[in-house]
Amino acid sequence: MINVLIVKKEDRILEISVDGHANYAKQGLDIVCAGVSAVVIGGINAIDELDDKVVFDVSANEDTAGYITYRSIKPTYEEQLLLKSMVISLQSIEENYSKYISIETREVKQ
């Protein structure tokens, strides 16, 4: 299963972590993994290309578990809009493939 963790403070997204594999189908044919990967990588690339003022950190590990974390360091309005769009896209995948992806949102007080 793919586990998505969204860490928020009030309405601001601080971090999005994606971990695991859907196991919907064999590697190379797994539309759930492909969809989640396209949404997350595409969203991060869009933030990087479209927002010159944002500061963020990405850590990834392509081992057997599959893992990527996006951390917002110096947020901007544009970054938050793109992150919210990413979350909506992931939620759409979860609505249709809930056996293969789980999304948890955690509110922090910091």
Side-chain angles (χ1 to χ4, degrees):
M1 174 173 278
I2 296 172
N3 295 297
V4 179
L5 174 63
I6 301 157
V7 180
K8 296 174 76 174
K9 181 179 179 186
E10 297 171 0
D11 196 35
R12 193 177 119 212
I13 297 172
L14 303 174
E15 181 177 302
I16 297 177
S17 294
V18 181
D19 187 24
H21 290 290
N23 296 314
Y24 175 80
K26 292 190 302 184
Q27 186 176 354
L29 300 174
D30 194 326
I31 61 171
V32 179
C33 272
V36 170
S37 294
V39 166
V40 173
I41 299 300
I44 293 170
N45 287 342
I47 292 166
D48 191 38
E49 288 292 319
L50 299 173
D51 192 345
D52 293 336
K53 296 179 182 162
V54 69
V55 178
F56 65 89
D57 177 62
V58 174
S59 57
N61 186 352
E62 296 260 346
D63 66 4
T64 56
Y67 175 82
I68 188 165
T69 296
Y70 176 97
R71 286 181 197 83
S72 177
I73 297 171
K74 182 181 171 191
T76 64
Y77 172 80
E78 292 80 2
E79 175 213 37
Q80 290 298 303
L81 187 62
L82 289 164
L83 288 174
K84 289 174 186 174
S85 174
M86 186 190 310
V87 169
I88 290 167
S89 295
L90 291 169
Q91 289 169 335
S92 295
I93 295 170
E94 183 187 37
E95 284 176 20
N96 292 294
Y97 299 96
S98 60
K99 286 174 51 177
Y100 305 98
I101 176 173
S102 172
I103 300 173
E104 175 189 351
T105 301
R106 194 175 295 160
E107 188 77 29
V108 295
K109 297 183 183 184
Q110 286 185 8

